[in-house]
């Protein structure tokens, strides 16, 4: 598994093998195989409702697969007890879809929470760490505000600050820019790029934002029909001859949309 | 026929699953109370929320319960010509029975519902997942302080309820019916023994635990509710369930403890 460890093939940090998962009678994942390599950015794309977030939840150990293995740093997440799971999770940072900020805590306390609960720093040191991260995210003025008083973009930035608080080795992004306008999305991508350069973390991103997200990706994986249809560099992905990938690329990067009002026959084949 | 069997089967499975989940929840919550390092601040905050902020409601209900007991007690005791026992009648019924039960029911309505809704919304908006992903144990961070605060606050509130209730009975007895104040308290001194106080204390401790246990557990496993715990409606339904279930459990356990300790 961890064979080539040179620059082109850094070691695998997360590996999903044959992961199957059903919710009730609905089969969401039908044998997902996926590898994430250290320091790289993997982007998982696919239509809504295909189970992209479910894949991330498996990696985080929040969901148990019906079949198959999820290995993080070589450890099978489903065979670990709570304490061992926490050891693995100490390397994680997560930016949830809706940021999942603690809504009864203000911005400062939200970002300070990992430091207060996981380290033995005193309040002065906590303050120093929090202010540094909030400064990086441009949030110094918002420290006293509560999550409900923030705009969507600010909320995501607070979520990112909290996720990066303890220098994680792997950061997960679940739809980081959904609901943000183009300007706010770009801002978040810039922050992502800058912090990854600084901290060198591995990133797993689930996103809809095709093609913009390709600029950040080292590898792109398409999830469709419960399986990973291919995992390759963004360039290869866009030129792939694989029918499902090709259909996805055409759908998301081709014409804006086709409506009934358009000229007859123009999009007839779509 | 098969439909009926299917229903019974799935109902039983659901019941077993829920019971198991609740048992595991209590075990984890209790063990996480003793994990080091112990943090005092969250517990104090919860005692303030469950205890101090319920004090006014408890004062009010306690006073009126005592006054009603004074009225009804006097009416009954007069038939036997033993109005002098009003003090002991009011004190015994409050300390052994009404104090713990009514306090628990009031606090369930005020704080139990709030705990369930708070934890449920945290579950719904992925805040509990976020804690787990940060390797912060949600039981230690979120549940344990509430459980400990419930166990601390409930006996204290019950004590307030008892005292103010006895005072209410006194006001009615002496003010309205002209009972000798000395006789009111003298009867109490002789008839109330430590075993009565102990029973009230045990009950209030158990009720405090029950309230937080059921409310927090219902909220925590909101997503696993069979009736569907999604969205605002899921939270409201689960909160109602939690209040009903904890109120009923309080009455059931009240009977059990009375039967055991008598």
């Amino acid at each position: 598994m961890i064979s080539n460890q040179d620059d082109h093939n850094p070691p695998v940090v997360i590996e999903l093998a044959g992961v199957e998962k059903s919710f009730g009678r609905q089969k969401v994942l039908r044998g997902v195989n996926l590898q994430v390599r250290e320091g790289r950015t993997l982007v998982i794309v696919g239509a809504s409702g295909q189970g992209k977030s479910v894949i991330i939840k498996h990696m985080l150990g929040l969901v148990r697969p019906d079949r198959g293995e999820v290995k993080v740093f070589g450890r099978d997440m489903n065979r670990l007890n709570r304490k061992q799971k926490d050891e693995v999770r100490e390397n994680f940072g997560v930016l949830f879809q809706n940021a999942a900020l603690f809504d009864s805590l203000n911005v400062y306390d939200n970002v300070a929470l990992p430091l207060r609960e996981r380290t033995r720093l005193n309040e002065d040191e906590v303050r120093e760490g929090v202010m540094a991260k909030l400064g990086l995210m441009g949030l110094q003025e918002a420290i006293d505000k509560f999550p409900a008083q923030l705009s969507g973009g600010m909320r995501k930035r607070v979520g990112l600050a909290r996720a990066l608080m303890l220098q994680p080795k792997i950061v997960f992004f679940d739809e980081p820019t959904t609901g943000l306008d183009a300007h706010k999305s770009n801002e978040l991508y810039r922050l992502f790029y800058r912090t990854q350069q600084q901290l060198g973390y591995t990133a797993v991103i689930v996103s809809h934002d095709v093609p913009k997200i390709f600029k950040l990706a080292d590898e792109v994986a398409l999830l469709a029909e419960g399986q990973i249809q291919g995992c390759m560099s963004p360039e290869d992905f866009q030129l792939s001859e694989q029918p499902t990938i090709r259909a996805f690329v055409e759908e998301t990067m081709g014409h804006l949309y086709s409506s009934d009002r358009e000229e007859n026959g123009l999009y007839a084949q779509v | 026929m098969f439909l009926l069997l299917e229903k019974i089967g799935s109902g039983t499975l659901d019941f077993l699953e829920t019971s198991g989940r609740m048992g595991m929840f209590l075990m984890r919550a209790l063990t996480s109370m003793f994990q080091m390092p112990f943090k005092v601040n969250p517990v104090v905050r919860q005692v303030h929320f469950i205890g101090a902020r319920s004090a006014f409601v408890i004062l009010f209900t306690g006073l009126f319960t005592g006054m009603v007991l004074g009225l009804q007690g006097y009416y009954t005791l007069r038939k036997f010509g033993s109005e002098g026992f009003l003090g002991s009648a009011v004190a015994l019924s409050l300390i052994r029975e009404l104090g713990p039960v009514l306090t628990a029911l009031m606090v369930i309505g005020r704080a139990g519902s709030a705990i369930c809704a708070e934890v449920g919304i945290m579950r719904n908006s992925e805040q509990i997942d976020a804690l787990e992903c940060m390797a912060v144990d949600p039981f230690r961070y979120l549940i344990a302080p509430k459980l400990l605060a419930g166990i601390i606050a409930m006996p204290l509130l019950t004590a307030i309820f008892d005292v103010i209730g006895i005072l209410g009975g006194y006001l009615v007895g002496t003010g309205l019916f002209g009972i000798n104040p000395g006789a009111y308290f003298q009867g109490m001194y002789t008839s109330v023994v430590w075993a009565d106080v102990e029973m009230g204390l045990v009950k209030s401790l158990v009720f405090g635990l029950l309230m937080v246990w059921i409310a927090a557990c219902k909220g925590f496993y909101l997503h696993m509710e069979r009736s569907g715990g999604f969205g605002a409606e899921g939270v409201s339904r689960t909160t109602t369930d939690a209040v009903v279930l904890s109120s009923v459990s309080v009455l059931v356990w009240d009977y059990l403890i009375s039967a055991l300790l008598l």
Side-chain angles (χ1 to χ4, degrees):
Chain A
M1 180 183 70
I2 304 172
S3 46
N4 270 327
Q5 301 203 356
D6 54 69
D7 271 359
H8 298 289
N9 257 340
V12 173
V13 283
I14 304 179
E15 185 176 24
L16 271 67
V19 171
E20 293 181 20
K21 181 74 189 173
S22 306
F23 292 104
R25 289 196 183 142
Q26 192 194 2
K27 201 156 192 184
V28 181
L29 304 181
R30 302 162 185 265
V32 168
N33 299 302
L34 194 61
Q35 291 186 338
V36 187
R37 291 181 180 277
E38 189 172 41
R40 297 292 185 87
T41 302
L42 171 77
V43 172
I44 305 172
V45 293
S48 298
Q50 292 284 345
K52 300 189 296 292
S53 302
V54 179
I55 292 187
I56 282 204
K57 286 195 169 149
H58 276 93
M59 293 173 174
L60 294 169
L62 291 173
V63 175
R64 224 170 232 283
D66 299 335
R67 206 166 293 160
E69 273 187 341
V70 181
K71 282 190 178 165
V72 182
F73 300 121
R75 301 169 86 176
D76 187 345
M77 287 300 269
N78 302 298
R79 302 234 172 107
L80 302 181
N81 63 29
R82 215 176 329 129
K83 203 162 160 245
Q84 294 167 322
K85 227 183 218 178
D86 277 353
E87 281 168 21
V88 174
R89 283 172 173 162
E90 279 174 15
N91 302 296
F92 288 175
V94 188
L95 179 57
F96 281 87
Q97 195 162 349
N98 54 12
L101 300 178
F102 302 112
D103 44 22
S104 44
L105 302 180
N106 65 20
V107 168
Y108 179 86
D109 289 332
N110 258 289
V111 180
L113 190 132
L115 288 178
R116 286 180 179 150
E117 292 298 316
R118 288 246 314 269
T119 66
R120 286 172 182 261
L121 299 180
N122 65 36
E123 225 19 65
D124 287 339
E125 292 163 320
V126 168
R127 179 154 203 93
E128 204 174 300
V130 172
M131 293 316 284
K133 274 284 179 300
L134 287 177
L136 190 67
M137 303 288 161
L139 286 165
Q140 300 96 320
E141 284 89 50
I143 55 170
D144 292 326
K145 291 198 170 153
F146 284 87
Q149 299 169 305
L150 301 177
S151 68
M154 284 170 103
R155 230 177 280 174
K156 296 267 170 147
R157 278 185 280 153
V158 177
L160 186 59
R162 191 180 68 180
L164 300 179
M165 207 60 238
L166 291 171
Q167 327 294 347
K169 293 204 177 86
I170 311 176
V171 184
F172 299 86
F173 298 82
D174 191 357
E175 310 267 7
T177 57
T178 302
L180 301 187
D181 61 33
H183 173 69
K184 291 275 154 49
S185 308
N186 291 342
E187 195 177 86
L188 198 74
Y189 289 144
R190 269 196 292 274
L191 281 173
F192 165 78
Y193 186 75
R194 207 183 305 156
T195 53
Q196 197 186 28
Q197 290 292 309
Q198 256 180 28
L199 304 169
Y201 54 76
T202 310
V204 180
I205 306 178
V206 157
S207 182
H208 272 130
D209 199 7
V210 180
K212 238 193 240 169
I213 196 78
F214 286 173
K215 267 183 89 174
L216 303 174
D218 293 312
E219 278 171 295
V220 178
L222 173 68
L223 176 73
E225 285 146 26
Q227 287 182 326
I228 297 293
Q229 304 290 339
C231 183
M232 55 198 82
S233 73
E235 295 77 26
D236 293 345
F237 189 86
Q238 289 170 68
L239 300 171
S240 172
E241 292 295 323
Q242 216 259 48
T244 343
I245 298 182
R246 211 194 156 106
F248 178 81
V249 170
E250 279 178 7
E251 177 76 21
T252 49
M253 301 174 67
H255 311 293
L256 276 179
Y257 62 93
S258 56
S259 80
D260 292 343
R261 278 173 58 196
E262 323 244 354
E263 251 177 273
N264 259 347
L266 185 59
Y267 296 113
Q269 74 277 20
V270 179
Chain B
M1 181 64 196
F2 278 113
L3 207 69
L4 183 73
L5 280 179
E6 209 178 294
K7 267 194 177 156
I8 295 173
S10 78
T12 315
L13 282 181
D14 189 46
F15 174 76
L16 288 176
E17 206 183 302
T18 312
S19 318
R21 204 157 57 212
M22 290 193 71
M24 296 292 287
F25 181 91
L26 184 63
M27 288 303 294
R28 262 192 82 180
L30 286 174
T31 46
S32 63
M33 273 191 340
F34 299 102
Q35 265 168 31
M36 291 295 132
F38 182 76
K39 294 202 172 178
V40 182
N41 271 356
V43 181
V44 173
R45 212 171 303 132
Q46 290 299 324
V47 171
H48 175 250
F49 173 70
I50 298 176
R53 292 181 58 184
S54 306
F56 184 72
V57 185
I58 294 303
L59 279 176
F60 212 67
T61 26
L63 182 68
F64 277 92
T65 308
M67 282 162 67
V68 168
L69 278 177
L71 277 178
Q72 301 283 18
Y74 182 80
Y75 175 79
T76 315
L77 288 171
R78 203 183 46 180
K79 290 185 176 173
F80 308 103
S82 34
E83 299 94 320
F85 288 113
L86 186 67
S88 13
V90 170
L92 279 177
S93 26
L94 277 174
I95 292 171
R96 293 175 67 97
E97 203 55 50
L98 291 174
V101 172
L102 288 179
T103 305
L105 292 179
M106 295 310 293
V107 179
I108 284 171
R110 215 199 67 80
S113 54
I115 290 173
C116 180
E118 182 193 334
V119 178
I121 288 171
M122 287 188 78
R123 167 62 75 190
N124 252 352
S125 53
E126 293 181 313
Q127 293 176 48
I128 292 179
D129 288 345
L131 281 175
E132 285 193 61
C133 294
M134 285 186 227
V136 176
D137 182 5
F139 279 85
R140 199 171 96 81
Y141 175 77
L142 197 63
I143 310 294
K146 295 190 196 315
L147 198 64
L148 195 55
I151 296 172
I152 294 172
M154 198 67 97
L156 295 176
L157 289 171
T158 306
I160 294 175
F161 189 101
D162 290 348
V163 170
I164 208 81
I166 289 170
L167 203 69
Y170 172 82
L171 288 179
V172 169
T174 56
L176 220 58
F177 301 123
I179 288 178
N180 181 342
Y184 185 85
F185 284 111
Q186 191 53 46
M188 226 177 283
Y189 286 135
T190 47
S191 58
V192 177
V193 292
W194 172 243
D196 302 317
V197 181
E198 192 184 70
M199 179 186 267
L201 188 68
V202 170
K203 281 182 179 175
S204 61
L205 285 171
V206 172
F207 296 164
L209 180 89
L210 266 179
M211 173 189 80
V212 181
W213 173 27
I214 294 174
C217 182
K218 280 272 177 189
F220 197 82
Y221 292 119
L222 182 81
H223 57 309
M224 293 187 181
E225 285 288 314
R226 201 161 69 140
S227 49
F230 305 108
E233 203 179 311
V235 175
S236 83
R237 201 182 313 128
T238 309
T239 307
T240 311
D241 283 357
V243 169
V244 171
L245 184 63
S246 26
S247 308
V248 173
S249 314
V250 160
L251 295 174
V252 172
W253 276 90
D254 181 44
Y255 176 81
L256 291 177
I257 296 169
S258 299
L260 275 174
L261 292 187
L262 262 181

